[in-house]
Amino acid sequence: MYDINKVRENFPILAREVYGKPLVYLDNAATTQKPLWVLDAMRDEYLNVNANVHRGVHYLSQQATDLHEAARERVRKFINAKKIEEIVFTRGTTEAINLVASSFCESQMQPGDEVLVTEMEHHSNIVSWQLQAMKRGIVVKHLPITDDGRLVCRDAITTYLTGKTKLISVAHVSNVLGTINPVEEIVRIAHEHGIPVLVDGAQSAPHFKVDVQAMDCDFFAFSGHKMYGPTGIGVLYGKEEWLEKLPPYQGGGEMIDKVTWEKTTFERLPFKFEAGTPDYVATHGLAKAIDYIDAIGFDAIQQHEQELTRYCMEQLQTIPDIHIYGPDYTKGTVLSVYCRSTQKEPSLLCKDAVVSFNVGNIHHLDMGTLLDRLGIAVRTGHHCAQPLMDRLGISGTVRASFALYNTKEEIDTLVAGIRRVAQMF
């Protein structure tokens, strides 16, 4: 049984009021709230184990190092990476993508070579490559999406691949549309052409089980703060063979083997990509967040969040003049429709935990501002996805996004709030 009341007790912030109204927090795609399980563990480390890692022979340093490296192993198991050397700690998904963009382009690409992304990408998976285009003369191309926000993989990818394509970088789940992209199919097609794939897992890792070996992606990036962990910590998974090929992203302490005035040699994996003092308390917090997710269980979490997503879309569709963007969850479209070659039973619906919408001519900022006065926290704007907004022909949306602690009653409050705001206009 999914005891939502017990779950919510672990998140004291959910009990607070905003403008005299109970807080309804529906901005989880931006960041999730943190359970006491995580906060208490981090506080305990600062109080009792605080010391720099990897550098000291004294007790506290060794204890902190043990916690830090135990967190790396915890992450490895969480995404089923083959080796601990394949887990690189970063500040988040954005830095992980920038790391790959910088190091991959420096060592693997020439002017005129191409990176392929999609129209639904977050800016972090666009601008990172555009910066390399300005520096190194590479070309950034994008895969189109359908009007309801999906990729039709094989035809689209093979049409856009050329002999110059060196890497495909794609979101696992769209932060605007909630579209679950068929990354296993994308990886399969790419590998048929000898092309590596980077998957942005910022919106997937918090919501359903990720298995990087089964996916066979070459790189996978995600953030701690979107999965009930602390801010400022993230993970880049990279296949060992690729990480060995790539040069360091930054220079400094921790990532060196030996430094002389003539030459520097670099540490073994994964440390050559981790310059400077890591946020070792945050890595411990991330490990505890993973423990928390596992204690509840992804099957239970996924079922709960899918029920919320379906219920939200059904209720929103009762509001006059509403437009919901992305795949229609209520029609039961399944991932296998876009992955026919896998010959697998569908395991995921096509949309997950995110619903973006507009109502009539009401500006998304006005809707979000007035909902806030009712205690309802949603996201408004372009959601760091302006090219997607251009594709949809809008300036922005209102976005409600769900986590393991949200309830149908909160969705009822959201729908009532939207109706109240719509009446004002």
Side-chain angles (χ1 to χ4, degrees):
M1 296 294 293
Y2 194 91
D3 190 340
I4 189 63
N5 292 323
K6 181 175 286 188
V7 168
R8 289 176 67 87
E9 287 175 359
N10 288 301
F11 298 85
I13 194 171
L14 300 178
R16 70 163 297 181
E17 292 187 346
V18 176
Y19 301 117
K21 303 288 194 304
L23 171 65
V24 175
Y25 185 79
L26 300 174
D27 192 21
N28 296 286
T31 197
T32 53
Q33 301 303 331
K34 321 306 175 192
L36 290 172
W37 192 325
V38 170
L39 300 176
D40 289 347
M42 295 177 66
R43 182 176 186 271
D44 181 71
E45 182 166 1
Y46 273 125
L47 288 175
N48 297 299
V49 195
N50 185 43
N52 211 330
V53 297
H54 295 148
R55 302 175 185 178
V57 296
H58 59 83
Y59 181 83
L60 288 184
S61 178
Q62 292 184 36
Q63 192 175 12
T65 299
D66 289 344
L67 288 173
H68 181 64
E69 292 306 319
R72 197 186 306 274
E73 170 62 14
R74 190 69 186 87
V75 170
R76 184 201 67 77
K77 290 181 179 179
F78 180 66
I79 61 173
N80 193 33
K82 186 181 296 184
K83 296 182 176 182
I84 200 169
E85 289 81 4
E86 297 177 323
I87 303 300
V88 178
F89 285 125
T90 67
R91 291 181 300 155
T93 307
T94 297
E95 185 176 53
I97 295 173
N98 274 273
L99 188 163
V100 176
S102 176
S103 296
F104 189 92
C105 291
E106 178 182 342
S107 62
Q108 306 296 318
M109 300 186 71
Q110 302 294 325
D113 285 346
E114 299 168 352
V115 170
L116 189 58
V117 298
T118 80
E119 280 187 308
M120 67 177 77
E121 298 305 317
H122 188 280
H123 289 166
S124 61
N125 202 24
I126 299 174
V127 180
S128 304
W129 301 105
Q130 288 179 336
L131 288 172
Q132 296 303 316
M134 289 186 285
K135 292 178 181 178
R136 306 182 190 281
I138 69 165
V139 177
V140 183
K141 295 171 63 176
H142 62 270
L143 289 170
I145 60 173
T146 61
D147 289 341
D148 64 345
R150 282 181 275 195
L151 297 171
V152 183
C153 284
R154 183 163 292 278
D155 290 343
I157 292 177
T158 54
T159 297
Y160 280 79
L161 290 181
T162 73
K164 291 282 191 177
T165 308
K166 300 301 181 184
L167 184 137
I168 297 174
S169 191
V170 60
H172 200 169
V173 176
S174 166
N175 72 308
V176 177
L177 306 172
T179 305
I180 303 173
N181 284 318
V183 291
E184 289 187 19
E185 178 76 349
I186 294 170
V187 170
R188 185 176 297 106
I189 296 168
H191 286 180
E192 288 173 359
H193 294 81
I195 299 169
V197 178
L198 164 63
V199 177
D200 173 356
Q203 300 295 337
S204 61
H207 300 291
F208 51 83
K209 183 63 179 175
V210 169
D211 185 330
V212 294
Q213 291 192 69
M215 193 188 304
D216 200 27
C217 60
D218 302 278
F219 304 98
F220 187 88
F222 64 98
S223 298
H225 74 98
K226 294 182 188 291
M227 49 183 290
Y228 316 103
T231 57
I233 192 66
V235 173
L236 172 67
Y237 157 80
K239 287 182 177 177
E240 183 180 28
E241 63 207 68
W242 274 113
L243 294 181
E244 290 286 9
K245 293 178 185 178
L246 302 186
Y249 174 53
Q250 295 176 321
E254 194 74 15
M255 50 76 70
I256 60 93
D257 173 37
K258 184 176 182 181
V259 177
T260 68
W261 288 118
E262 292 74 32
K263 183 180 180 181
T264 294
T265 55
F266 304 112
E267 259 282 18
R268 66 190 188 281
L269 292 177
F271 305 114
K272 78 170 183 178
F273 293 108
E274 295 181 353
T277 298
D279 194 339
Y280 49 85
V281 176
T283 60
H284 182 48
L286 174 59
K288 289 300 181 181
I290 293 172
D291 288 342
Y292 183 79
I293 289 171
D294 279 353
I296 297 174
F298 259 133
D299 288 344
I301 293 169
Q302 187 177 343
Q303 180 180 351
H304 177 71
E305 292 178 346
Q306 286 184 349
E307 288 177 357
L308 290 178
T309 307
R310 185 186 295 278
Y311 183 74
C312 182
M313 293 191 69
E314 289 173 346
Q315 297 306 306
L316 288 178
Q317 287 171 355
T318 67
I319 298 173
D321 208 16
I322 195 166
H323 188 106
I324 301 174
Y325 301 93
D328 189 346
Y329 203 139
T330 62
K331 293 180 180 177
T333 307
V334 294
L335 187 63
S336 62
V337 171
Y338 292 89
C339 271
R340 292 186 180 91
S341 68
T342 64
Q343 302 299 312
K344 294 180 180 178
E345 290 297 318
S347 59
L348 294 172
L349 293 172
C350 62
K351 189 181 185 76
D352 191 60
V354 173
V355 180
S356 290
F357 61 91
N358 282 312
V359 180
N361 294 321
I362 303 173
H363 196 277
H364 49 86
L365 180 59
D366 293 332
M367 175 65 75
T369 301
L370 292 171
L371 288 175
D372 176 55
R373 300 298 297 190
L374 300 174
I376 305 167
V378 293
R379 199 71 160 188
T380 64
H382 54 66
H383 314 297
C384 295
Q386 287 179 307
L388 175 58
M389 297 298 119
D390 291 341
R391 168 65 177 85
L392 299 174
I394 56 178
S395 63
T397 74
V398 183
R399 184 185 72 188
S401 51
F402 312 116
L404 56 82
Y405 43 65
N406 289 123
T407 67
K408 288 184 178 180
E409 290 75 17
E410 290 180 315
I411 292 173
D412 292 338
T413 301
L414 169 67
V415 172
I418 295 169
R419 291 184 181 278
R420 181 174 175 181
V421 172
Q423 290 174 354
M424 297 173 61
F425 286 84

